[in-house]
Amino acid sequence: MDNYLGNRSKAVRYSGEADIRSEFSLIDHTGQEVTQADYADRWQLVFFGFTNCPDVCPTTLAYMASVLDLLGKDADQVAPIFITVDPERDTVPVMAEYVSVFHPSLIGLTGTEAQVAEATRNFRTWYERTEDDSAPDGYFMAHAGHIYLMRPGGEFEAVYQEGGQPPEALAQEIRKKL
């Protein structure tokens, strides 16, 4: 009788790469139109969220800032990117003010609803508007809390959660890849 350990040919095997791509056409927090090509010479650390987020976004962006600080001079090889899932409220001036609070290198990206939707599809992440009378402007944005590490060419390398490891561990992992 075959069993899982005795017959390796029946073991499930996976190969290939995640279909997560750094592909977008958005506007940065300085008002410049940008695409993934503008960051093609650097690794990208990408997080999706919104400026009215009460908890996940500020803690994740503070975490990313800590990682950048721990990388020191190596941080120049990383483009830290925050893409809004709430372009209705997160205009260029709002993004500029918000990202400046966390780190001078942080890049805030916004755009039209269609541009943001395309970026989230390419990163295989999700967001959803939830109506709530107690929320600012009557709604919240639910969203995934992943941080994507993308290679300089825009290909997927890894995905992390802010609380998944201390910032020192993520900085060390990124430094090994640089």
Side-chain angles (χ1 to χ4, degrees):
M1 179 168 168
D2 291 334
N3 63 40
Y4 179 75
L5 296 175
N7 186 349
R8 298 251 184 225
S9 66
K10 291 187 178 186
V12 176
R13 293 189 180 103
Y14 297 96
S15 64
E17 191 167 304
D19 188 21
I20 297 171
R21 300 177 311 280
S22 180
E23 292 180 10
F24 54 83
S25 178
L26 296 164
I27 301 168
D28 75 12
H29 66 274
T30 69
Q32 300 298 308
E33 292 183 20
V34 295
T35 69
Q36 66 281 356
D38 291 290
Y39 309 106
D41 60 337
R42 298 190 282 168
W43 288 78
Q44 298 169 34
L45 204 54
V46 182
F47 176 69
F48 288 83
F50 66 111
T51 63
N52 282 298
C53 182
D55 46 23
V56 173
C57 297
T59 58
T60 301
L61 293 174
Y63 174 83
M64 285 175 58
S66 294
V67 170
L68 294 170
D69 289 343
L70 290 163
L71 285 171
K73 289 189 290 184
D74 289 334
D76 293 342
Q77 298 176 59
V78 178
I81 300 172
F82 172 58
I83 301 176
T84 185
V85 295
D86 187 11
E88 183 177 322
R89 291 186 289 201
D90 292 343
T91 61
V92 168
V94 170
M95 291 295 280
E97 183 177 342
Y98 192 73
V99 297
S100 71
V101 170
F102 294 96
H103 197 275
S105 299
L106 187 60
I107 301 159
L109 301 181
T110 189
T112 66
E113 298 260 346
Q115 288 172 314
V116 168
E118 180 181 6
T120 60
R121 274 192 305 276
N122 291 334
F123 276 88
R124 302 295 188 255
T125 192
W126 69 272
Y127 66 99
E128 181 180 32
R129 181 177 166 143
T130 305
E131 303 302 320
D132 185 332
D133 291 336
S134 68
D137 301 317
Y139 68 94
F140 283 115
M141 299 298 290
H143 62 93
H146 302 104
I147 302 169
Y148 297 89
L149 180 62
M150 308 300 286
R151 296 181 204 117
E155 302 87 11
F156 175 77
E157 178 67 25
V159 64
Y160 306 95
Q161 291 272 167
E162 172 261 325
Q165 64 284 316
E168 295 82 5
L170 182 54
Q172 182 178 20
E173 191 170 327
I174 291 171
R175 186 173 279 118
K176 287 179 190 176
K177 296 175 187 300
L178 297 179

